[in-house]
Every structure is written in C-alpha cells, then in structure tokens.
Amino acid sequence: MLSTDICIIGAGPVGLFAVFEAGLLKMRCHVVDALAQTGGQLSEIYPKKPIYDIPGFPEVLAGDLVKNLEKQIEPFKPTFTLGERVERFTRLDDGSFIVYTVAGTEISCKIIVIAAGLGSFEPRKPAIEHLALYEGKGVNYMILDPEHYRDKRVVIAGGGDSALDWTIFLANVAKEVTLVHRGTTFRGVPESAEKVQHLAEAGKIKLLLKSNVVGVSGEDKLEAVTISFNNEEDVVQETDYFIPLFGLTPKLGPLEDWDLELQDGAIVVNTFDYSTSIEGVYAIGDINTYPGKLKLILCGFHEAALMAQSAYKYLNPDKKFTLKYTTVNGVPTL
C-alpha cells in the first residue's frame, strides 16, 4: 500500500500546483489521475493551444505550462498513479483515509484533495456493435505503454491531436499502423497532420480518409475490424488492436456517491480554505463551486495555496504556523 500525507485526485494544472504549495510546507503528495499523463485537459485536448491569462506569461502553450508545472514540483518528489480512476475512499478510526482505484491500487493518506477538473474524463466510444466485448482484449481507448504495441498491427480512428500524435509515434513502434478518419481534413495541429501525410506517402502508415470503423470481430480477442468507405464496399482488415481516439467527455463518476455536498454537478466548498462537507477532504479547481466561482486556472492556483495552508494546520494542530516567502527561504526539498 502506498503511503503519503496528501492524496491529490487529478493531475491537471491545479492538482500539480497543489503539489508545489504542499511541498513548500513539507507535506508529501501522491497524485492519481484516470488519464495516462499529467496535465488533464491541457495535455489531452489542447496541448498546442495558447493560454493568455496565466500571470507572468503573456502567452504560453497549454503543453508548455504543464511541463513548467512538472519542473516546478520536482524538488518535492511527488509520486503518481496514472491511468487509474479513483473509485472510492474510506475513513479509518484515526481520521486518516484509504483511497482505492479501479485497478486495485490503495493509497493511505491523511488528507484528500479533489482537483478533478470537470470530473473524471471518460473516452467517447464509437457506436459499434459488440465493441464492449473486446475492451481490454484488443480495443483500447488510451495508450498507457507504447511498448505494448511493438511489432503489432494497430488501427487508430480519429482526427484530433491524440490520433495524429499516436499515429506518428507508433509508426516507429508497431508492425503496421492504420489511421482511419471520417473526413479529409484534421482537427489537430497542422504540423502533425503534415507529418501523418508524409508517413502515408512514404508507405510507413496506411491513411484511410472518408472512412469509418463500423465493426469488430474475433474469437477470444480482437482479430479484425470492418471499415466502411463512402460509396464503396466495406473492407475487413485484420489487426491486433483497435484504438478509437475521439476525445474525452467529463463525468462526475464515482464522486456522486462519496457523500459530498453537491450543487449542479460540482462540490460545494467553504471559501475560507476550500474544505468540503467531509473533514479532511478539500476540493479545488473546476470541480468545486461557491458564490462567485470562476472556472479559471489562475483561480484554481489561488485555491490550491489556501488549501495547503489549511491542510498544514489540520495535520499539525499543535505547531505554530508562520508564513514564509519563497523570496526569503527559496524552495525546500523533501
């Protein structure tokens, strides 16, 4: 079982900054996220889009902001469980918690910080008959370990950044990569679209435009997909993996069953310290709500700072707290 001071649910920008604020007060953090990478929406949905309202950055790409936040928390050596959604938590007699993920990971902690953005992101699944039968048996909705696909046949569907990026990456890993896209133009970064086109022209990948995967088949695991082309006969293509990458949709998920006070799908908090209706549990960022709430990253950073101050006092009720500025003391290490 993993053990830490604070378990942060959500590895988006607010969750990452919470690690920094907690680290300044010498509190250890373990971060859990359902996505396979840190950054939340910034990494998964718009990594190449500029953000203009981060103090000190007239303009910063979303992906670069995530990298900077990761670098900022390095001195505090946080640990991560990625690609696993938190399912529930229990409170022990001593007031501490155990957090459980769907994969069976258990985290012992003294404080829980929910920084889950708009909720746990779940993949948008195409409407293909029997698709669920092959989930985990050749059908995957995210790529956790690229090496899993080495020397395998892979069919990717989608036209956004994720589909383009993974097609480019797996072109040098998989035995065969096919990208299926219903349109003729891509929603992703033009540079990535050009790379995919060049790979197709060089014969390193198969690029099927104006087409859709409409069927899956196989005995105990996925063995083939059926691809439909506009005004042409369907084609059955043998493959080891089918990875539909149609983006993510936010859902509150298990949070609805955690006995937290909710309002319009968000967690109600006390604006003094962003504590929830459960003692020792905080909620920061887009997941919370209160009068005057603004769903901005910079507001989430503010909430993370106040949360960390309160969490320190909660863990150390007998210690006298003195605010220390980083300009005077620098950044400590754990």
Side-chain angles (χ1 to χ4, degrees), residues 37-183:
Q37 58 185 333
T38 62
Q41 296 181 67
L42 272 64
S43 296
E44 191 67 23
I45 301 177
Y46 51 92
K48 299 296 184 181
K49 288 187 177 180
I51 301 174
Y52 301 99
D53 60 355
I54 302 299
F57 289 92
E59 177 182 324
V60 60
L61 294 180
D64 290 341
L65 177 59
V66 173
K67 291 178 183 178
N68 289 341
L69 288 165
E70 290 176 328
K71 184 176 181 180
Q72 189 176 32
I73 64 177
E74 284 179 358
F76 306 122
K77 299 179 174 58
T79 50
F80 293 86
T81 295
L82 300 176
E84 297 182 25
R85 188 183 68 182
V86 171
E87 190 68 17
R88 60 189 177 92
F89 67 84
T90 58
R91 187 168 202 149
L92 305 181
D93 292 339
D94 63 357
S96 64
F97 301 92
I98 298 180
V99 176
Y100 303 87
T101 74
V102 290
T105 300
E106 299 181 5
I107 303 115
S108 172
C109 60
K110 301 169 186 174
I111 285 177
I112 294 174
V113 175
I114 303 171
L118 299 175
S120 61
F121 284 89
E122 298 183 7
R124 290 190 175 95
K125 302 179 182 181
I128 299 176
E129 189 175 5
H130 306 309
L131 184 68
L133 296 176
Y134 299 99
E135 291 177 353
K137 300 178 182 179
V139 172
N140 298 327
Y141 299 106
M142 62 177 63
I143 297 175
L144 300 178
D145 181 7
E147 282 299 314
H148 188 70
Y149 303 94
R150 183 165 293 280
D151 299 325
K152 302 295 184 180
R153 298 167 298 178
V154 179
V155 173
I156 295 174
D161 285 312
S162 291
L164 294 172
D165 291 345
W166 281 119
T167 296
I168 295 168
F169 189 93
L170 292 180
N172 295 316
V173 175
K175 176 182 178 181
E176 177 183 287
V177 176
T178 301
L179 176 60
V180 180
H181 179 42
R182 64 187 178 185

Side-chain angles (χ1 to χ4, degrees), residues 174-289:
K175 176 182 178 181
E176 177 183 287
V177 176
T178 301
L179 176 60
V180 180
H181 179 42
R182 64 187 178 185
T184 56
T185 59
F186 294 96
R187 301 185 309 278
V189 176
E191 181 183 358
S192 297
E194 290 178 9
K195 288 182 180 179
V196 165
Q197 190 65 48
H198 291 328
L199 288 171
E201 293 171 355
K204 294 185 177 180
I205 67 165
K206 291 173 63 177
L207 177 60
L208 305 180
L209 301 177
K210 294 193 290 185
S211 59
N212 286 289
V213 174
V214 296
V216 289
S217 58
E219 292 296 328
D220 297 327
K221 61 182 181 62
L222 181 71
E223 296 175 359
V225 296
T226 301
I227 302 173
S228 174
F229 297 87
N230 289 356
N231 303 320
E232 295 183 25
E233 291 187 8
D234 294 352
V235 173
V236 175
Q237 179 170 316
E238 294 183 352
T239 190
D240 299 304
Y241 292 97
F242 171 47
I243 309 173
L245 297 174
F246 296 129
L248 303 168
T249 181
K251 292 186 178 180
L252 205 55
L255 281 170
E256 293 181 309
D257 303 319
W258 289 2
D259 294 326
L260 294 160
E261 183 182 354
L262 302 175
Q263 180 182 315
D264 297 328
I267 302 171
V268 176
V269 294
N270 183 337
T271 53
F272 175 77
D273 58 3
Y274 303 97
S275 57
T276 70
S277 55
I278 299 178
E279 187 178 19
V281 179
Y282 298 81
I284 57 177
D286 287 355
I287 197 67
N288 73 18
T289 186

